[in-house]
Amino acid sequence: MKAVTYRQFGGPEVLTLSELAVPEPGPGEVRVRIVVSAVNPTDWKARSGSRFGAEAELSVPNQDGAGVVDAVGAGVDGFSAGDRVWLLLAAAHTPTSGTAQEYTVLPADRLVPLPDESGFDEGAAFAIPALTAHRALTVAEDGPRRLAPKALAGKTILVSGGAGAVGNAAIQLARWAGATVIATVSTEDKASLARAAGAQHVVRYTEGDVAAAIREIAPEGVDVIVEVAAGVNAPLHAAVLRPRGVVAAYGDDRGTGTVTVDFGQNVFLNSRYQFLVLYTVGWDHLHAGAEDLNAALRDGGLRLGPEHGLPVHRFPLAETARAHEASEKGVTGKILIDVS
């Protein structure tokens, strides 16, 4: 089978189109024929490694993908050949289990049934971004632990970076769950994408007093901040959070890796900071989030394409290096790879 591999950490140039043996599923495992793979920042960060030029174990990149069950190992219940599925953190299972290849073998609990209403593109595109957004929207002290229509009714959500993949998913999921959504963006083009995703209010953080603009929309403050730039935006958090509000921080884009908060402001707010990454969030949260994402997909609460605020950029498997390069350069939208 065709697979994209690397044996050395470094830039996109270390990725090579290779031939690997088709893997066989063992007990409790499922073989999936990958139709669409997706690229997230975590994929090229893992490929980059801690030191350029260092040797790596033979690896296949990309965590997210969707496809068709091809074979099942002994003891697997709930999946049969021909089932359409999307995957949970595929490349985190073994170095060679990523989705940039024609077939991969994973434990059955890393597979999620793909709703009939959704295509392989949606299954691949929304996994990591939407699961991250789901977690961010369900960590507030006064908020729900699961998402469904009306679960966030009466809540105001601030989405930092509303044109990014996680930001887009957070806007769509929050609106599906009944929240009022304010998004911050840098440009008018990105403002248009945030509005297309469903944000009722969009604030340009490159213009004027951002805190004042948000407070004008939400005088009592916002309930949750879905944060992609935790360090640089820390002063804004205390200015716009309501008492017992939470900052759900999944990124520090444009930051230095350090978050400095004002103790006095935050202590009187009883504010909370929830840092989150999917690799250690726990499988109970991942599976619960996957169930809610499937419900949103069935309801049309998660949709793909520029008309829904998330443009798609496609690459063939042989050009996975170019796909990684596009993600590293910060292309706006979702990068998908046609595998088979």
Side-chain angles (χ1 to χ4, degrees):
M1 67 171 182
K2 292 183 174 62
V4 172
T5 64
Y6 61 96
R7 292 178 177 270
Q8 188 176 51
F9 295 120
E13 69 278 359
V14 302
L15 297 174
T16 303
L17 186 64
S18 307
E19 292 283 339
L20 297 181
V22 176
E24 293 296 328
E29 294 182 331
V30 178
R31 186 169 67 209
V32 178
R33 176 175 61 83
I34 303 298
V35 177
V36 178
S37 176
V39 181
N40 295 289
T42 189
D43 299 317
W44 53 261
K45 289 176 182 178
R47 184 217 67 227
S48 297
S50 58
R51 293 178 294 121
F52 272 26
E55 289 188 0
E57 189 173 355
L58 175 66
S59 300
V60 176
N62 297 1
Q63 300 286 358
D64 286 348
V68 179
V69 172
D70 181 69
V72 297
V76 172
D77 295 320
F79 291 103
S80 302
D83 289 347
R84 301 162 70 248
V85 296
W86 58 279
L87 308 179
L88 297 173
L89 302 179
H93 177 53
T94 70
T96 57
S97 59
T99 63
Q101 57 186 333
E102 292 180 308
Y103 295 91
T104 191
V105 166
L106 294 167
D109 65 359
R110 289 182 185 251
L111 275 62
V112 182
L114 183 62
D116 293 340
E117 296 84 353
S118 302
F120 295 114
D121 285 1
E122 286 78 12
F126 283 120
I128 281 179
L131 286 168
T132 302
H134 181 279
R135 177 64 174 158
L137 295 170
T138 55
V139 295
E141 178 181 359
D142 301 329
R145 291 295 175 263
R146 297 288 296 267
L147 294 184
K150 300 184 180 179
L152 291 173
K155 304 293 185 181
T156 300
I157 311 297
L158 175 62
V159 178
S160 170
V166 176
N168 173 275
I171 293 170
Q172 292 201 64
L173 286 171
R175 285 300 312 276
W176 173 67
T180 297
V181 178
I182 306 168
T184 61
V185 298
S186 58
T187 68
E188 187 53 39
D189 286 344
K190 291 183 177 181
S192 297
L193 292 174
R195 294 188 191 99
Q200 296 104 316
H201 308 279
V202 180
V203 175
R204 294 268 298 275
Y205 62 77
T206 51
E207 296 180 353
D209 188 330
V210 177
I214 293 170
R215 278 288 183 177
E216 185 174 354
I217 299 164
E220 303 301 318
V222 302
D223 296 274
V224 177
I225 301 175
V226 181
E227 184 57 81
V228 69
V232 71
N233 284 337
L236 176 67
H237 301 156
V240 301
L241 275 178
R242 69 155 180 83
R244 298 186 307 281
V246 62
V247 179
Y250 67 92
D252 191 32
D253 291 358
R254 313 191 316 276
T256 62
T258 299
V259 179
T260 302
V261 299
D262 184 284
F263 178 80
Q265 289 180 307
N266 282 280
V267 75
F268 279 99
L269 283 171
N270 273 281
S271 64
R272 297 173 61 197
Y273 273 75
Q274 173 70 58
F275 296 92
L276 62 97
V277 68
L278 296 183
Y279 299 108
T280 54
V281 74
W283 284 99
D284 54 342
H285 291 300
L286 288 174
H287 289 141
E291 289 179 8
D292 293 351
L293 297 193
N294 272 356
L297 286 167
R298 292 187 189 99
D299 285 351
L302 276 175
R303 293 178 291 181
L304 188 63
E307 67 275 24
H308 306 298
L310 194 62
V312 174
H313 309 275
R314 309 195 77 94
F315 295 84
L317 182 64
E319 296 182 13
T320 296
R322 286 187 56 229
H324 273 226
E325 182 180 22
S327 180
E328 289 188 63
K329 289 182 176 179
V331 65
T332 299
K334 193 64 202 181
I335 296 172
L336 299 180
I337 296 171
D338 293 308
V339 178
S340 63

